[in-house]
Amino acid sequence: MQAVRWHPPAFDIRVESVPIPQIQHPDDVIVKVRLAGLCGSDLHIYRGHGGIDKVHTSGHEFIGEVVSLGSSYGSNVQGRPKLYSTLKVGDKVVSPFTSNCGECHVCRLGYTARCPEGVLFGSALLDGGQAQYVRVPRGGGTLFNLSNPDTWSSSLPAQEKEKCLTRLADASLLLLADILPTGVFAALQALTHPKVQPLLIGRPWPLCFSPEISAAESNEVGLTAEDRVLTFAIIGLGPVGICAAVSLLDALATRRVPFRIVATDLLESRREKMKTVYDAIDASGKGAGEFVVLSADDAKVYIHETTGGVGCTAVLEVVGHPDALTSAYDLVRAFGIIVSVGMHRVLPIPYTGRQLYNKNVSFDFGRCPARAMFPAAFDLLVKRQDVFGTVGKPASLIDRVVGFNAAPESYRAFDQGEVGKVIFNPWD
């Protein structure tokens, strides 16, 4: 089969012929890949920053068809994820970017990205999905069966969910592998944080957690309308940053709360893309708040002026670089939140203990539990087909679909910020 392979030390992508993967464990699934994505996280290895020296098949985003199942799969498998009983050859599936067992304490809690048995696709430990076929370990706990939506939840009625699956393109569904769940995860981490609750509920900390105690019975002055305006910054407007912005806008519009969002990126092309995406979203997904896209310097001025120098309620860092973390710290308020879903390297966090103490900043770092986030991401995918449902249009998140022969150039162009989301068709 043909596969996109990374060769050390850096910047060396080749399309090569390799053996088709085979079942190695009873829980394995072999998937014939229909489409595979190029993700910003792939660039860390591409640039030689991953500490990897092994040639391997790249990519951790893929959608495809089941062609082979291990012996664990069959009817009425007891005490294991439902997919071990229902998954069949021929089913269409999408995979999160890591495998996970779905059975351990960590997975049962929903923290699937840190399953002790989980492995990242497209790494030295597990060949990735930028290939014509891919082996999925622990497939019953990892995959989502798009041919049988009864095996996963959604806020949509069952008939509507099935209807959506028939009309959504594979290129759109592929976004469920990583970038859309990660964007939703970033927004959710910010909005559900305890420090945001005073603004959402309208009572000061910690009375906002005590329904039986009212502010009227205390000595605190009540919150003003301006006190309750949520101010967010999004640093990094690549594909994941755009997904985070769309998700945050939708969540705020649903809650009908006052807000302002400042989206920023060092690249003008990405800022312009974000503006175009925002313009394409209908009113139901925008809410009644403010949304501006600015350069880094202008964002600092805007936030200082609109908050009276207080700063952001929360900052979503979607870059994965110390400079972005420094900017996040500069923009966040005291008792604010920094949510970082950018993939960081070995460089140290650019803060001292005193800086952290002096601002009472809360941090949420790390990998999105993509499988756990799938239902929420699917619902947003259905709602926002104006952004996620097209390819190659000005407001499309996906810029192009190309064959493997374009892989080396696509990696180079994506690395240089010359192109946005690229998807590979392994059979083109």
Short mmCIF file of all heavy atoms in Angstrom, two decimals, residues 37-40 43 179 237-240 242 267 269-270 273 396-401 410-411 413-423:
data_model
loop_
_atom_site.label_atom_id
_atom_site.label_comp_id
_atom_site.label_asym_id
_atom_site.label_seq_id
_atom_site.Cartn_x
_atom_site.Cartn_y
_atom_site.Cartn_z
N GLY A 37 -6.26 13.46 7.44
CA GLY A 37 -5.99 14.88 7.60
C GLY A 37 -4.54 15.19 7.92
O GLY A 37 -3.82 14.37 8.49
N LEU A 38 -4.14 16.40 7.55
CA LEU A 38 -2.85 16.96 7.96
C LEU A 38 -3.14 17.96 9.07
O LEU A 38 -3.87 18.94 8.86
CB LEU A 38 -2.17 17.64 6.77
CG LEU A 38 -0.88 18.43 7.05
CD1 LEU A 38 0.15 17.57 7.75
CD2 LEU A 38 -0.32 19.01 5.75
N CYS A 39 -2.57 17.72 10.24
CA CYS A 39 -2.87 18.51 11.44
C CYS A 39 -1.65 19.30 11.87
O CYS A 39 -0.51 18.90 11.61
CB CYS A 39 -3.32 17.57 12.56
SG CYS A 39 -3.71 18.39 14.12
N GLY A 40 -1.89 20.39 12.58
CA GLY A 40 -0.79 21.19 13.10
C GLY A 40 0.12 20.41 14.02
O GLY A 40 1.33 20.67 14.08
N LEU A 43 3.14 18.79 12.53
CA LEU A 43 4.30 19.63 12.22
C LEU A 43 5.39 19.54 13.29
O LEU A 43 6.56 19.80 12.99
CB LEU A 43 3.87 21.09 12.04
CG LEU A 43 2.93 21.36 10.86
CD1 LEU A 43 2.59 22.85 10.80
CD2 LEU A 43 3.56 20.91 9.54
N ILE A 179 -9.45 18.00 15.36
CA ILE A 179 -9.46 19.45 15.53
C ILE A 179 -10.78 20.00 16.06
O ILE A 179 -10.79 20.94 16.86
CB ILE A 179 -9.03 20.19 14.24
CG1 ILE A 179 -10.03 19.96 13.10
CG2 ILE A 179 -7.63 19.77 13.83
CD1 ILE A 179 -9.73 20.83 11.89
N LEU A 237 -4.90 31.08 15.38
CA LEU A 237 -6.07 30.94 14.53
C LEU A 237 -5.82 29.99 13.37
O LEU A 237 -6.28 30.20 12.25
CB LEU A 237 -6.53 32.32 14.01
CG LEU A 237 -6.94 33.31 15.11
CD1 LEU A 237 -7.27 34.66 14.52
CD2 LEU A 237 -8.11 32.75 15.92
N GLY A 238 -5.07 28.92 13.66
CA GLY A 238 -5.02 27.81 12.72
C GLY A 238 -6.34 27.07 12.76
O GLY A 238 -7.32 27.54 13.36
N PRO A 239 -6.43 25.90 12.15
CA PRO A 239 -7.70 25.16 12.13
C PRO A 239 -8.28 24.89 13.52
O PRO A 239 -9.50 25.02 13.71
CB PRO A 239 -7.32 23.86 11.41
CG PRO A 239 -6.21 24.27 10.48
CD PRO A 239 -5.43 25.28 11.26
N VAL A 240 -7.45 24.52 14.51
CA VAL A 240 -7.98 24.27 15.85
C VAL A 240 -8.47 25.56 16.49
O VAL A 240 -9.50 25.59 17.16
CB VAL A 240 -6.93 23.58 16.74
CG1 VAL A 240 -7.47 23.40 18.16
CG2 VAL A 240 -6.55 22.22 16.17
N ILE A 242 -9.69 28.17 14.99
CA ILE A 242 -10.98 28.51 14.39
C ILE A 242 -12.08 27.64 14.97
O ILE A 242 -13.18 28.13 15.29
CB ILE A 242 -10.91 28.37 12.85
CG1 ILE A 242 -10.02 29.47 12.27
CG2 ILE A 242 -12.30 28.42 12.24
CD1 ILE A 242 -9.80 29.36 10.77
N LEU A 267 -0.05 35.69 12.03
CA LEU A 267 -0.16 35.67 10.57
C LEU A 267 -1.43 36.39 10.11
O LEU A 267 -2.54 36.04 10.53
CB LEU A 267 -0.18 34.23 10.05
CG LEU A 267 1.10 33.41 10.25
CD1 LEU A 267 0.89 31.99 9.72
CD2 LEU A 267 2.26 34.07 9.53
N SER A 269 -2.82 36.23 7.22
CA SER A 269 -3.67 35.34 6.44
C SER A 269 -4.62 34.56 7.33
O SER A 269 -5.79 34.33 6.97
CB SER A 269 -2.81 34.38 5.62
OG SER A 269 -1.99 33.57 6.46
N ARG A 270 -4.16 34.16 8.50
CA ARG A 270 -5.04 33.43 9.42
C ARG A 270 -6.07 34.36 10.06
O ARG A 270 -7.21 33.96 10.30
CB ARG A 270 -4.20 32.73 10.50
CG ARG A 270 -3.43 31.54 9.97
CD ARG A 270 -2.74 30.76 11.06
NE ARG A 270 -2.28 29.47 10.59
CZ ARG A 270 -1.70 28.55 11.34
NH1 ARG A 270 -1.50 28.80 12.63
NH2 ARG A 270 -1.32 27.40 10.83
N LYS A 273 -8.73 34.78 7.48
CA LYS A 273 -9.55 33.57 7.42
C LYS A 273 -10.58 33.56 8.54
O LYS A 273 -11.76 33.23 8.33
CB LYS A 273 -8.65 32.33 7.52
CG LYS A 273 -9.39 31.01 7.42
CD LYS A 273 -9.80 30.73 6.00
CE LYS A 273 -10.29 29.30 5.82
NZ LYS A 273 -10.59 28.99 4.41
N SER A 396 -14.48 28.16 4.17
CA SER A 396 -14.31 26.74 4.49
C SER A 396 -13.14 26.54 5.43
O SER A 396 -12.07 27.11 5.23
CB SER A 396 -14.06 25.92 3.22
OG SER A 396 -15.11 26.06 2.29
N LEU A 397 -13.34 25.68 6.44
CA LEU A 397 -12.21 25.33 7.28
C LEU A 397 -11.20 24.49 6.50
O LEU A 397 -9.99 24.62 6.67
CB LEU A 397 -12.69 24.56 8.51
CG LEU A 397 -11.61 24.21 9.52
CD1 LEU A 397 -11.05 25.47 10.18
CD2 LEU A 397 -12.13 23.25 10.58
N ILE A 398 -11.70 23.62 5.62
CA ILE A 398 -10.84 22.77 4.81
C ILE A 398 -10.50 23.49 3.51
O ILE A 398 -11.39 23.86 2.74
CB ILE A 398 -11.54 21.43 4.48
CG1 ILE A 398 -11.93 20.71 5.78
CG2 ILE A 398 -10.63 20.55 3.63
CD1 ILE A 398 -12.89 19.55 5.56
N ASP A 399 -9.21 23.68 3.27
CA ASP A 399 -8.78 24.40 2.08
C ASP A 399 -8.78 23.54 0.82
O ASP A 399 -9.16 23.97 -0.25
CB ASP A 399 -7.37 24.98 2.29
CG ASP A 399 -7.40 26.31 3.01
OD1 ASP A 399 -8.50 26.72 3.43
OD2 ASP A 399 -6.34 26.93 3.18
N ARG A 400 -8.34 22.28 0.97
CA ARG A 400 -8.21 21.44 -0.23
C ARG A 400 -8.11 19.97 0.14
O ARG A 400 -7.73 19.61 1.25
CB ARG A 400 -6.98 21.84 -1.04
CG ARG A 400 -5.66 21.66 -0.32
CD ARG A 400 -4.48 22.27 -1.06
NE ARG A 400 -4.56 23.73 -1.12
CZ ARG A 400 -3.56 24.51 -1.49
NH1 ARG A 400 -2.41 23.98 -1.87
NH2 ARG A 400 -3.70 25.82 -1.51
N VAL A 401 -8.49 19.13 -0.83
CA VAL A 401 -8.32 17.69 -0.75
C VAL A 401 -7.38 17.29 -1.87
O VAL A 401 -7.64 17.58 -3.04
CB VAL A 401 -9.65 16.93 -0.87
CG1 VAL A 401 -9.43 15.42 -0.79
CG2 VAL A 401 -10.63 17.37 0.22
N SER A 410 2.50 19.71 0.57
CA SER A 410 1.46 20.14 1.51
C SER A 410 2.04 20.35 2.90
O SER A 410 1.68 21.32 3.58
CB SER A 410 0.34 19.08 1.56
OG SER A 410 -0.31 18.98 0.31
N TYR A 411 2.93 19.46 3.32
CA TYR A 411 3.60 19.64 4.61
C TYR A 411 4.40 20.94 4.61
O TYR A 411 4.36 21.72 5.58
CB TYR A 411 4.51 18.46 4.92
CG TYR A 411 3.87 17.37 5.74
CD1 TYR A 411 3.09 16.38 5.13
CD2 TYR A 411 4.04 17.31 7.12
CE1 TYR A 411 2.51 15.37 5.88
CE2 TYR A 411 3.47 16.30 7.87
CZ TYR A 411 2.69 15.34 7.25
OH TYR A 411 2.12 14.34 8.00
N ALA A 413 4.03 23.67 2.72
CA ALA A 413 3.17 24.85 2.66
C ALA A 413 2.43 25.07 3.97
O ALA A 413 2.28 26.22 4.43
CB ALA A 413 2.18 24.68 1.50
N PHE A 414 1.98 24.00 4.62
CA PHE A 414 1.29 24.12 5.90
C PHE A 414 2.26 24.63 6.97
O PHE A 414 1.90 25.47 7.80
CB PHE A 414 0.70 22.77 6.28
CG PHE A 414 -0.25 22.81 7.45
CD1 PHE A 414 -1.16 23.84 7.61
CD2 PHE A 414 -0.25 21.80 8.41
CE1 PHE A 414 -2.05 23.87 8.68
CE2 PHE A 414 -1.12 21.81 9.49
CZ PHE A 414 -2.02 22.85 9.62
N ASP A 415 3.46 24.14 6.94
CA ASP A 415 4.48 24.57 7.89
C ASP A 415 4.78 26.06 7.76
O ASP A 415 5.04 26.74 8.75
CB ASP A 415 5.76 23.75 7.68
CG ASP A 415 6.88 24.15 8.63
OD1 ASP A 415 6.63 24.22 9.84
OD2 ASP A 415 8.00 24.39 8.15
N GLN A 416 4.72 26.57 6.54
CA GLN A 416 5.02 27.98 6.27
C GLN A 416 3.79 28.88 6.38
O GLN A 416 3.89 30.08 6.13
CB GLN A 416 5.64 28.13 4.89
CG GLN A 416 6.99 27.43 4.73
CD GLN A 416 8.02 27.97 5.69
OE1 GLN A 416 8.18 29.19 5.83
NE2 GLN A 416 8.74 27.07 6.37
N GLY A 417 2.64 28.32 6.74
CA GLY A 417 1.43 29.11 6.88
C GLY A 417 0.84 29.56 5.55
O GLY A 417 0.05 30.49 5.50
N GLU A 418 1.20 28.85 4.47
CA GLU A 418 0.72 29.23 3.14
C GLU A 418 -0.63 28.60 2.81
O GLU A 418 -1.26 28.96 1.83
CB GLU A 418 1.75 28.82 2.08
CG GLU A 418 3.10 29.52 2.25
CD GLU A 418 4.17 28.96 1.33
OE1 GLU A 418 3.82 28.06 0.51
OE2 GLU A 418 5.32 29.38 1.43
N VAL A 419 -1.04 27.63 3.60
CA VAL A 419 -2.29 26.92 3.36
C VAL A 419 -2.90 26.54 4.69
O VAL A 419 -2.19 26.43 5.70
CB VAL A 419 -2.02 25.65 2.50
CG1 VAL A 419 -1.18 24.64 3.28
CG2 VAL A 419 -3.30 25.01 2.02
N GLY A 420 -4.22 26.38 4.71
CA GLY A 420 -4.91 25.96 5.92
C GLY A 420 -5.06 24.46 5.98
O GLY A 420 -4.14 23.71 5.66
N LYS A 421 -6.23 24.00 6.35
CA LYS A 421 -6.47 22.57 6.54
C LYS A 421 -6.39 21.82 5.21
O LYS A 421 -7.08 22.16 4.25
CB LYS A 421 -7.83 22.34 7.18
CG LYS A 421 -8.09 20.89 7.58
CD LYS A 421 -7.20 20.46 8.71
CE LYS A 421 -7.50 19.03 9.16
NZ LYS A 421 -6.58 18.60 10.23
N VAL A 422 -5.53 20.80 5.18
CA VAL A 422 -5.36 19.95 4.00
C VAL A 422 -5.78 18.53 4.35
O VAL A 422 -5.46 18.02 5.42
CB VAL A 422 -3.90 19.95 3.51
CG1 VAL A 422 -3.70 18.95 2.36
CG2 VAL A 422 -3.47 21.34 3.09
N ILE A 423 -6.51 17.90 3.43
CA ILE A 423 -6.94 16.51 3.59
C ILE A 423 -6.39 15.70 2.43
O ILE A 423 -6.39 16.15 1.28
CB ILE A 423 -8.47 16.42 3.66
CG1 ILE A 423 -8.98 17.00 4.99
CG2 ILE A 423 -8.97 14.98 3.50
CD1 ILE A 423 -10.47 17.04 5.11
#
